[in-house]
Amino acid sequence: MAARSQRQFLCGVVEGFYGRPWSHEQRCDLFTHMSVWGLNVYLYAPKDDDKHRAYWRDLYTLEEANTLSLLIQECRDRGVLFIYAIAPGLDITFSSCEDVTLLKRKLDQVAALGCKSFSMLFDDIESDMCPADEKVFPSFAHAQVTITNDMYTHLERPEAFLFCPTEYCASRALPTVADSQYLLHIGAELHPDIDIMWTGPKVISKVISVESIEELSAVIKRPPVIWDNIHANDYDQRRLFLGPYDGRSVGLLQKLRGVVTNPNCEYGANYVAIHTLAQWSKCSNTLNKRASPTRQAMLLEMEESPDLTSLDISSDIKSKECARSGNGDSFYDPKLALVASLKDWFAEFKIPRRKPEHYKPVKDAESIAKAIDAEQMGCSDQEEIGSSAMGVPSPPRVEGAIEEASISEQFTFKDLCLMVDYFFLPHQHGEQALHVLKEFCWLKENAPGYSLLQSYEKLKGCEPVDCVGGVGGGVRSVERMEPDDGLQSDGETCDSPLEEGMNLVDVSRWCERAKKFHTVCACVSDMYAHLTTIPNRPLLYDLYQYSWDAKETTMLLDSYVAWLEAGGSDVNPDHEPHVPRGGITAEMQRLLPQVRGSKKLYGRGHTPPEPPSPVIYTIRPYRLDDKALVYQTCLETGNSGRDATGDFPNFPNMLGDRFVGPYLTLSPDLCFVLEDALGVCGYMLATLDSQAFYKAYLEEWLPLVTNDYPVPPLEVREKGPHPEEELLEDLFRPSFFLPPRLQRDYPSHMHIDLMKRAQGQGVGTRMLKTLLATLKAKGSHGVHLEMNAQNERAKKFYKKIGFKVLRLDADASGKGSPPEDVLILGRLL
């Protein structure tokens, strides 16, 4: 065995996350890239491999052993050291001769498969010993050291042997790193040739300093191997990390035994994480802003050029490092390393590869189980309501010839940079994503009132404001807003608040920034749509659920700004501080008016449609010229979600006059339409105060429309009226269900309709989020809706959003209960 000072620096990847392990093909692809990039170690430690952790005593079956043997050989053939890790800490009895024998037997089996290096992991376990062990060992550290040294000797001192302690970061060292009796004993008694792993100050460390490593090394009496979780995402269902290796000075290279990165669960998302680690490992200095004129020129070019593809960075920069000074020292800069990685990674998107069979998300086993249950019941998260009465299942869709996408539909390098900015690093958003957050906050907090907007439009010589947001809103011709473009002047910053008593100049500035905000949101939608066209389908499916979530949340903000643009107002906005959980999308959602149960409303339980679709749906405030299209949508979904045109041959507008027109006239500020490339395909209507609305319906709306229809007779036919006659009766003599308790607790009510082509796309969820946020902003504390009691799918959908079935008991007069075929659902805000 080589002396410690002569041993090779270990640098590579640990597959150590919670979630579905990578496939054999993915691991072989990883080994190939590692070999090209100069990385030399792969640590096999997937938490969800039962025989690595939960059932560590069990031997691998013949088939499993053959697969593992082949993997070890594939690793060796590419010059990468394969280290097999076992984690017996969940239930091992250290003093049990039987357990010790079983552990040796298991490691012997793996050694016989060709493995020459091993690791013992005791992370993420309880530190209390069982009664049997307490009689034998003075402490938990003694027990772990004893069995680890025993395994090291039994395996005849392998080429590499790693140990992960229970106190594996500074925040878990008790009371401190310097005074931890556990770490002091590990350092003193663990065999000096066994390397100790460490994650830094925390489990997920923003920065790992040279000083902190020097302190640790003095305690454990050896340089540690960093198990780096900077790109790990198994702890958060909504986060992905595509940013560069950062927060680690290359001065650490002289203080460490090695670094292994534990990256994203989604294999395809790890190109930048591993590529930039490889660049970092070859450098001898962290480049500062004054160190290199070349670097200064490069960063200036990056700041001035919105198209990073124009930068003159060689594709083989990974082997030339990021920059060099005159004396030949190599330097590392995360920004330059990122650009180099993205240029190489972008080529991977264009490689045709088929979608993996039996694809399922790599995280969240609970949601997978729920999806299976939904499949068996014949429904899913995407089977949303088609109308308040009845939904219609979406037609099956087949992935088409994605490779034939037009140039305008193809995934671009700008799209990739935007996606990386949205999913950057655990403690840092990318510049474009951070700009969206700041700009939305500014627009929300400084929104002008309806009267100011009207005055502004009249001053321009226009009709009253007729705003649209997002992809379908006619703002695509506006110049794309770059990260630092916020229409600032005279030294203003992006988030400078407008003073009280806004004038029309202020309103003009607000409207211009709103337009540019819509354009940025359109860029995010484009990014998602273009991603769905890439030929590399496995990569698409690794990124899909995250890009969909980013698109949905950004368009939610876009719809809210469009509502403000149309005269809505948000009283007492509350910008909550950033916290890591949920990432950029969760932080965006916290900027919206917070309704009760926001965690359930905005949580990751809402999954994207399958298969991926490039169609973009926009939610925007209703405009006067939408009326005919909204009426048509109502008619085409009016027969329990199906087309009702044949039911109303004489009066095709009557359905709209009864169920849509009153809202468009009496409550237009709470009316929204859904658009795709073909036009309006859904709508959402609400009123703030149901009692006031029903009163206005009788006193203001009915006189406007009843002159267009014949007065129905008072008697009802014995055989039952035709749908047209039945609705005529309801139009002239409407019956409203609004008992006192319903008006008191859930004063607002709503109605939503989607055309068939928009169903099953997840847009119903986004529409409800938009409406609930606007109702909350206007002061509502509860909303209700009526639905067909037989529509189990719609009921399940609404309950997922936080609605509950309201049990309204009749009073002494028999009033207070809805009709038998109607359910009343309510949600507190």
Side-chain angles (χ1 to χ4, degrees), residues 229-302:
N229 288 319
I230 186 174
H231 288 96
N233 70 336
D234 55 353
Y235 59 91
D236 195 330
Q237 300 297 317
R238 305 182 68 180
R239 303 199 74 180
L240 193 69
F241 302 115
L242 306 178
Y245 194 68
D246 197 7
R248 286 95 174 105
S249 163
V250 295
L252 289 170
L253 289 166
Q254 305 301 318
K255 305 292 183 179
L256 298 173
R257 167 75 173 101
V259 176
V260 288
T261 183
N262 180 35
N264 298 284
C265 300
E266 295 79 8
Y267 171 72
N270 291 316
Y271 196 99
V272 171
I274 302 171
H275 190 287
T276 53
L277 171 64
Q279 294 182 62
W280 176 86
S281 69
K282 295 176 178 61
C283 296
S284 61
N285 237 321
T286 302
L287 190 60
N288 58 53
K289 293 184 178 180
R290 299 178 183 176
S292 168
T294 303
R295 176 206 185 265
Q296 288 184 342
M298 183 69 71
L299 290 182
L300 180 61
E301 184 182 358
M302 290 174 66

Side-chain angles (χ1 to χ4, degrees), residues 240 269 345 349 419 531 539-547:
L240 193 69
W345 190 28
F349 286 75
M419 182 169 63
L531 181 67
L539 182 54
L540 162 64
Y541 276 86
D542 278 343
L543 301 172
Y544 175 52
Q545 59 182 341
Y546 299 98
S547 61

Side-chain angles (χ1 to χ4, degrees), residues 761-828:
Q761 302 301 307
V763 291
T765 300
R766 175 153 51 97
M767 291 175 77
L768 276 173
K769 291 176 181 177
T770 301
L771 182 60
L772 296 180
T774 53
L775 282 171
K776 176 69 173 180
K778 291 186 73 68
S780 176
H781 61 265
V783 61
H784 72 272
L785 60 90
E786 299 181 8
M787 59 164 286
N788 189 317
Q790 304 304 315
N791 192 344
E792 289 297 325
R793 190 181 62 187
K795 181 167 69 172
K796 179 180 178 181
F797 167 75
Y798 282 119
K799 290 178 74 173
K800 189 178 184 68
I801 305 298
F803 283 82
K804 65 178 181 180
V805 177
L806 302 179
R807 307 298 180 187
L808 300 167
D809 299 327
D811 57 24
S813 65
K815 297 180 180 180
S817 293
E820 292 182 2
D821 60 343
V822 173
L823 280 181
I824 307 296
L825 274 67
R827 192 190 195 286
L828 294 174

Side-chain angles (χ1 to χ4, degrees), residues 355-536:
K355 169 188 171 184
E357 294 183 7
H358 311 298
Y359 172 83
K360 290 178 181 176
V362 299
K363 293 191 291 186
D364 191 10
E366 182 179 354
S367 69
I368 293 174
K370 289 180 179 178
I372 294 173
D373 292 340
E375 224 173 80
Q376 294 171 346
M377 295 179 64
C379 60
S380 70
D381 289 343
Q382 285 79 50
E383 291 180 331
E384 298 179 348
I385 51 173
S387 70
S388 297
M390 182 72 71
V392 179
S394 301
R397 300 186 308 281
V398 180
E399 289 194 83
I402 299 299
E403 295 82 354
E404 298 178 4
S406 67
I407 296 297
S408 63
E409 296 172 339
Q410 290 178 3
F411 191 72
T412 66
F413 191 74
K414 284 185 178 180
D415 292 327
L416 178 58
C417 294
L418 178 58
M419 182 169 63
V420 169
D421 268 3
Y422 257 67
F423 301 100
F424 204 67
L425 289 172
H427 307 91
Q428 181 183 357
H429 299 317
E431 290 182 3
Q432 295 180 84
L434 190 60
H435 183 77
V436 170
L437 282 174
K438 290 181 176 179
E439 195 68 4
F440 176 79
C441 187
W442 185 91
L443 289 168
K444 187 183 77 162
E445 292 181 355
N446 294 283
Y450 179 77
S451 59
L452 271 175
L453 285 167
Q454 293 296 299
S455 299
Y456 171 66
E457 293 298 328
K458 289 178 180 178
L459 186 65
K460 288 169 55 181
C462 301
E463 293 297 322
V465 63
D466 195 21
C467 297
V468 275
V471 177
V475 295
R476 283 184 174 276
S477 60
V478 178
E479 184 178 355
R480 198 176 279 242
M481 177 167 62
E482 301 302 335
D484 294 325
D485 186 1
L487 295 179
Q488 298 95 326
S489 61
D490 299 325
E492 288 182 318
T493 60
C494 176
D495 49 3
S496 299
L498 297 179
E499 297 181 0
E500 292 184 10
M502 293 174 67
N503 57 38
L504 295 184
V505 174
D506 296 328
V507 177
S508 174
R509 182 157 63 100
W510 189 94
C511 290
E512 285 300 313
R513 288 177 70 162
K515 274 188 177 182
K516 293 199 172 188
F517 183 80
H518 293 319
T519 305
V520 168
C521 294
C523 293
V524 177
S525 296
D526 287 344
M527 176 269 290
Y528 159 80
H530 296 164
L531 181 67
T532 65
T533 70
I534 64 172
N536 191 333

